[in-house]
């Protein structure tokens, strides 16, 4: 006699499932019987359970692991898939792997991060560099100025200022110890739609000192027709009188002023790692410290300063010196603008720092104006512009006399931003 309910007897367990079965079913298919709680379902057409004794209800049938019988009952416990498999799929068949990375999202955020860093760095560098500009020259103090023309005109001045130099530096750079400062070189750089033109103004040029307003006193000094060397105007009342004198003697309005001293010039050259020059002849000058052999060579700061200051060892004296100054400044600008400098922060920032610490500019000069100036000088060195001396007709009282007719035509071409046809010395 078997008191087990239907389906629980040892003779009725499905396909021999259980202990001792030769065809045991996998553990993933084993389920736990649930006991229905609540009202006894009404008798249906299915088979009746064998007697269990008094008070034992009929046991419901199990259907697909989801409920009991046809009344939609769900115990909420177990679906019969204990180990996560899909039946006979084996252990771990239903395990889900780590989701694939979203490369589009990663690339997007990487790009945003890189752009943000570049923008912040660029903006920070701009404000850092802008704060280092020494805007000390006030061109609004210059009186009786010529009318503005096309393009932009820069006055570039190399002074012999020894300010901030130690005695050892003065000795190494062969600058001497003269007080005050004078102009060692003066150039006008014109930029426009027809290329750039770099014009050297010899320091010994004979010019008239016009009426002017003192840069410090504010007092007006009337013109007396007095003639002197051009560099004397700078020594007398600084950059403002120099600008006033050049504008009066040429009729060309100068838009910006840029000045650099001895030490600053040498520091910039050293910061870019030196500048390569092709020196056309042997040069030896005790006063400037120049001692060069003919041929290509890279000049450091000390050598570069000696090269641009040399005149006594040159046949053309000051006129040959201005030509060397043009060549070197153009080569320096080209070196600063190379990718090896611009894209190397370990070279770029020292170069910017050395340059901006050394420059004195007018109050309206901005970084973009300065960059435009250097780019124009680079173009001149690359053959995309013109370099020349101011046309000279002779000398008077030991000073160089400008060729008035040529100067007038040159100035007219610059004002109209036309291609320069005038040749200099």
């Amino acid at each position: 006699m078997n008191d087990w309910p239907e389906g629980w007897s040892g003779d009725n367990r499905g396909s021999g499932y259980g202990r001792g079965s030769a065809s045991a079913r996998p553990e993933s298919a084993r389920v736990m019987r649930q006991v229905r709680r609540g009202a006894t379902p009404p008798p249906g057409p299915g088979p009746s359970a064998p007697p269990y004794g008094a008070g034992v209800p009929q046991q419901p049938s199990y259907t697909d692991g989801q409920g009991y019988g046809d009344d939609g009952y769900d115990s909420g416990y177990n679906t019969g898939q204990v180990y996560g498999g899909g039946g006979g799929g084996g252990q771990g068949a239903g395990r889900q792997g780590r989701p694939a990375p979203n490369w589009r999202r990663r690339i997007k955020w990487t790009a945003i991060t890189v752009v943000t860093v570049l923008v912040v760095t660029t903006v920070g560098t701009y404000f850092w560099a802008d704060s280092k500009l020494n805007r000390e020259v006030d061109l609004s103090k210059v009186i009786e100025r010529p009318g503005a023309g096309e393009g932009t005109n820069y006055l570039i001045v190399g002074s012999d200022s020894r300010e901030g130099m130690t005695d050892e530096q003065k000795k190494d750079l062969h600058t001497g110890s003269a007080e005050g400062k004078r102009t060692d070189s003066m150039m006008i750089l014109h930029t426009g739609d027809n290329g750039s033109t770099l014009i050297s103004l010899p320091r010994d040029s004979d010019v008239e000192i016009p009426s002017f307003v003192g840069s410090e006193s504010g007092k007006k000094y009337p013109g007396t027709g007095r003639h002197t060397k051009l560099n004397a105007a700078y020594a007398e009342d600084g950059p403002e009188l120099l600008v006033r004198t050049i504008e009066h003697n040429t009729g060309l309005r100068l838009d910006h002023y840029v000045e650099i001293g001895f030490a600053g010039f040498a520091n910039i050259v050293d910061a870019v790692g030196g500048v390569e020059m092709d020196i056309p002849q042997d040069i030896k000058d005790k006063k400037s410290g120049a001692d060069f052999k003919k041929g290509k060579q890279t000049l450091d700061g000390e050598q570069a300063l000696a090269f641009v200051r040399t005149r006594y060892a040159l046949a053309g004296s000051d006129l040959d010196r201005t030509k060397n100054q043009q060549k070197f400044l153009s080569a320096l600008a080209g070196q600063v603008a190379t990718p090896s400098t611009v894209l190397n922060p370990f070279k770029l920032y020292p170069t910017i720092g050395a340059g901006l610490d050394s420059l004195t500019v007018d109050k309206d000069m901005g970084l973009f104006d300065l960059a435009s100036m250097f780019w124009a000088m680079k173009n001149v060195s690359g053959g995309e512009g013109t370099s020349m001396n101011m046309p000279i007709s002779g000398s008077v009282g030991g000073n160089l006399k400008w060729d008035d007719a040529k100067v007038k035509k040159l100035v007219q071409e610059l004002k109209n931003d036309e291609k320069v046809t005038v040749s200099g010395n």
Side-chain angles (χ1 to χ4, degrees):
M1 177 177 177
N2 186 356
D3 290 333
W4 290 97
E6 181 182 356
W8 284 51
S9 66
D11 298 327
N12 189 11
R13 296 183 184 176
S15 304
Y17 170 72
R19 184 179 302 171
S21 171
S23 57
R25 294 171 62 186
E27 287 293 323
S28 61
R30 184 178 299 172
V31 298
M32 181 182 293
R33 290 288 187 179
Q34 304 296 332
V35 178
R36 175 169 179 145
R37 297 172 183 171
T40 302
S48 300
Y52 246 71
V56 177
Q58 178 181 352
Q59 298 301 310
S61 62
Y62 185 78
T63 305
D64 297 332
Q66 301 297 327
Y68 291 86
D70 299 326
D71 61 354
Y73 174 80
D74 185 357
S75 69
Y77 286 94
N78 199 309
T79 63
Q81 297 181 4
V82 177
Y83 295 101
Q91 184 175 353
R95 184 182 300 167
Q96 294 184 352
R98 183 177 299 176
N102 188 334
W103 289 108
R104 177 178 293 182
R105 182 182 179 85
R106 290 188 180 186
I107 293 173
K108 171 186 174 182
W109 282 106
T110 300
I112 291 175
T113 301
V114 171
V115 170
T116 300
V117 170
L118 288 176
V119 170
V120 171
T121 302
T122 302
V123 172
T125 300
Y126 174 86
F127 284 105
W128 167 75
D130 188 72
S131 67
K132 295 178 75 68
L133 273 179
N134 300 312
R135 297 182 174 93
E136 299 177 3
V137 179
D138 190 356
L139 296 182
S140 67
K141 295 180 180 179
V142 180
I143 62 174
E144 302 176 22
R145 308 193 68 186
E150 301 293 328
T152 304
N153 299 310
Y154 299 85
L155 177 61
I156 304 171
V157 174
S159 77
D160 64 0
S161 172
R162 298 154 178 85
E163 184 178 353
M165 296 176 64
T166 64
D167 291 339
E168 184 177 357
Q169 287 176 316
K170 293 176 183 177
K171 180 180 179 181
D172 291 341
L173 298 177
H174 301 274
T175 64
S177 300
E179 296 297 328
K181 57 181 182 178
R182 288 150 292 276
T183 52
D184 234 33
S185 62
M186 292 158 283
M187 303 178 192
I188 294 175
L189 174 66
H190 173 84
T191 64
D193 294 334
N194 285 290
S196 302
T197 304
L198 186 62
I199 307 164
S200 286
L201 310 175
R203 54 182 276 177
D204 294 337
S205 297
D206 183 79
V207 293
E208 177 186 353
I209 301 296
S211 60
F212 67 97
V213 173
S215 58
E216 297 294 334
S217 66
K219 178 181 177 181
K220 185 171 182 178
Y221 296 88
T224 61
R226 173 170 57 101
H227 279 246
T228 185
K229 293 181 179 181
L230 180 58
N231 67 339
Y234 181 94
E236 187 172 331
D237 197 54
E240 288 84 2
L241 180 56
L242 178 62
V243 171
R244 167 73 175 131
T245 301
I246 293 174
E247 289 186 342
H248 174 77
N249 284 268
T250 62
L252 182 68
R253 186 184 182 95
L254 301 174
D255 300 294
H256 292 294
Y257 179 93
V258 181
E259 177 186 325
I260 187 169
F262 281 164
F265 180 82
N267 289 340
I268 293 175
V269 174
D270 286 335
V272 297
V275 176
E276 184 179 81
M277 289 293 296
D278 188 358
I279 299 179
Q281 65 184 70
D282 292 350
I283 299 176
K284 191 172 183 64
D285 184 356
K286 290 184 178 181
K287 289 193 174 183
S288 68
D291 188 4
F292 304 111
K293 297 297 182 181
K294 178 181 178 180
K296 286 186 177 181
Q297 50 204 287
T298 298
L299 308 184
D300 62 20
E302 178 183 339
Q303 294 169 325
L305 185 60
F307 177 73
V308 298
R309 294 183 61 223
T310 295
R311 64 171 175 164
Y312 294 104
L314 304 176
S317 188
D318 201 37
L319 290 177
D320 282 350
R321 177 171 70 167
T322 56
K323 293 177 182 178
N324 285 341
Q325 290 170 347
Q326 288 179 351
K327 291 177 183 177
F328 187 86
L329 288 179
S330 296
L332 174 59
Q335 179 68 27
V336 171
T338 57
S340 63
T341 299
V342 175
L343 299 179
N344 183 353
F346 298 102
K347 185 180 288 187
L348 176 64
Y349 283 95
T351 301
I352 293 176
L356 298 181
D357 281 340
S358 310
L359 296 178
T360 299
V361 300
D362 64 272
K363 293 184 179 297
D364 294 327
M365 174 73 98
L367 287 178
F368 289 109
D369 298 312
L370 197 60
S372 176
M373 183 193 80
F374 271 98
W375 192 259
M377 292 180 68
K378 175 181 180 296
N379 289 340
V380 170
S381 68
E384 299 177 19
T386 302
S387 60
M388 58 185 290
N389 275 325
M390 187 66 85
I392 304 296
S393 62
S395 62
V396 52
N399 298 336
L400 297 174
K401 180 76 170 63
W402 291 353
D403 187 318
D404 293 335
K406 286 187 175 182
V407 170
K408 183 177 180 180
K409 183 177 181 180
L410 172 63
V411 169
Q412 193 63 37
E413 290 175 340
L414 295 177
K415 278 188 171 183
N416 295 333
D417 194 24
E418 300 171 348
K419 187 174 179 60
V420 172
T421 61
V422 177
S423 61
N425 297 76

